[in-house]
Amino acid sequence: MKNIKVWDAATRIYHWAQALLFMALMATGLQHTGPHLQLGIVLFALLVWRMAWGIVGSETSRFKQFVKKPKQILGYLKGQQPATAGHNPLGALMVVAMLSLLVLQCLSGMLLAGLFDGLEQHGVTIPDGLYAAGEQVHLVLAQLLPWLIALHVAAIVGYKLIGKPLLLAMVTGKQWMAHPTAAPMLASQTRAFLVLIGAILVTIAIVAPSMV
């Protein structure tokens, strides 16, 4: 077995920041108190950062590296696909599902909070029906996302029981590989910081018109 570095600091920081923000959002959302909107905006900025990092980031963080075709996923389930550094095909499905649903949840919440109302100044009219749809989406995802998180945690526990400490890897950045595997390319963390700044600026550009 070989212990290799597979996760850069940016990916690990994002992972734990997302987990903490989600718990805080669930608490403030259920209690209808606290900085729920502000936390949602911060989470949206992090999601923009992660999606951009999935294009220009480290090899194991890039979508093109870990998102597999259905045939490859089926092969993994049958034990026909060798283990690779980073996300396995099932983990990749969870990443895509989590990112997609969290982005949708953030957008629906921002819509309901009136953060897109500023678009009317630029001739963009938001149909009234979209607000009703956004409310339903936000309520449904508020119930669905905790179940998805529970499934994610159950999978981590299951892998731990068979000797694959995925949680530890997201702390140390290192993963034990049973077969000889080349260390993946890890991008500069200066690049990660610049991408984060870009994500923050994009978020500000989206929400600022409704605040002036």
Side-chain angles (χ1 to χ4, degrees):
M1 295 182 70
K2 184 179 180 181
N3 197 18
I4 63 174
K5 188 70 173 288
V6 297
W7 301 121
D8 57 53
T11 301
R12 286 178 282 143
I13 289 171
Y14 165 80
H15 179 274
W16 296 112
Q18 174 189 279
L20 291 173
L21 280 169
F22 181 79
M23 289 188 290
L25 281 162
M26 285 299 301
T28 55
L30 292 173
Q31 296 173 5
H32 302 288
T33 59
H36 188 73
L37 174 59
Q38 291 79 1
L39 290 171
I41 293 173
V42 173
L43 177 58
F44 181 76
L46 282 177
L47 290 167
V48 174
W49 182 36
R50 180 61 185 91
M51 289 187 292
W53 198 239
I55 299 172
V56 302
S58 299
E59 183 179 352
T60 46
S61 298
R62 295 189 180 189
F63 299 123
K64 68 177 184 180
Q65 188 272 344
F66 64 78
V67 176
K68 304 300 183 183
K69 297 178 180 178
K71 184 178 180 180
Q72 293 172 301
I73 297 174
L74 186 59
Y76 175 79
L77 292 173
K78 292 181 178 179
Q80 300 171 348
Q81 293 286 338
T84 57
H87 294 298
N88 62 51
L90 291 181
L93 286 178
M94 180 61 72
V95 170
V96 172
M98 194 82 70
L99 285 175
S100 301
L101 294 180
L102 284 174
V103 167
L104 189 57
Q105 183 71 331
C106 284
L107 288 175
S108 62
M110 291 160 68
L111 173 69
L112 296 175
L115 295 187
F116 297 133
D117 291 352
L119 294 175
E120 295 182 357
Q121 301 175 10
H122 303 282
V124 179
T125 302
I126 301 176
D128 292 337
L130 190 58
Y131 288 98
E135 182 177 13
Q136 288 302 312
V137 167
H138 205 72
L139 291 173
V140 169
L141 289 182
Q143 299 177 35
L144 176 60
L145 280 165
W147 287 103
L148 192 63
I149 297 293
L151 178 61
H152 180 55
V153 172
I156 290 174
V157 172
Y159 276 105
K160 174 64 177 177
L161 293 176
I162 61 175
K164 296 182 179 181
L166 302 184
L167 191 64
L168 181 62
M170 195 53 72
V171 174
T172 64
K174 296 182 178 181
Q175 182 178 10
W176 285 100
M177 303 301 299
H179 305 286
T181 305
M185 179 279 295
L186 298 183
S188 162
Q189 296 309 284
T190 299
R191 183 193 302 181
F193 178 73
L194 293 175
V195 174
L196 175 59
I197 296 300
I200 293 172
L201 292 175
V202 167
T203 304
I204 290 174
I206 293 173
V207 304
S210 65
M211 298 181 175
V212 296

